[in-house]
Amino acid sequence: MTTSETSRFVRLRVELVLEIEDSEALTGAALERIAADEFMPDEERTHAQSAVREDAAEALAYLVDPFDLVTEVPGVELAQASWSSEPVDYDPEAQEWDLDDDLDGFHGDDEDGEDDEPDRDERR
């Protein structure tokens, strides 16, 4: 049997590069989320608030939840998730940021390199 026949679990990899246009709004939203989290211990809350005030990437990590990506997808349940965010030097013209290179083999390329499925990569 193949892996797809024996396993019901699928690893979905998503990588996003976001431009922060208003760091104050981002930080404010993250601080609101932290303040509203009734299950967060006070010591952790203090640490989280400090981290969010110092680093926009930390603020973003408190606002983005992988569960939100699959909540509305029928027939699936999130089994495990992890995520992180970090500042990066982004140059959309640089070869290292060419998403097509990262997708080879991930969206249906068969052995001869021909795409046997439509590409689901949407660029905005």
Side-chain angles (χ1 to χ4, degrees), residues 109-116:
D109 289 349
D110 57 22
E111 292 175 10
D112 64 358
E114 294 296 317
D115 193 0
D116 60 353

Side-chain angles (χ1 to χ4, degrees), residues 49-94:
Q49 290 168 332
S50 175
V52 160
R53 285 186 182 104
E54 293 175 17
D55 186 356
E58 286 288 332
L60 186 61
Y62 276 95
L63 293 170
V64 174
D65 185 348
F67 180 77
D68 294 340
L69 295 173
V70 297
T71 276
E72 300 295 320
V73 177
V76 301
E77 181 178 334
L78 184 62
Q80 179 181 357
S82 67
W83 67 103
S84 65
S85 65
E86 63 187 355
V88 295
D89 292 325
Y90 177 66
D91 177 3
E93 302 300 319

Side-chain angles (χ1 to χ4, degrees), residues 14-34:
V14 177
E15 183 171 330
L16 305 169
V17 176
L18 305 172
E19 180 178 0
I20 298 173
E21 296 179 339
D22 187 344
S23 61
E24 288 180 19
L26 176 65
T27 300
L31 289 170
E32 287 176 16
R33 169 79 56 93
I34 292 165

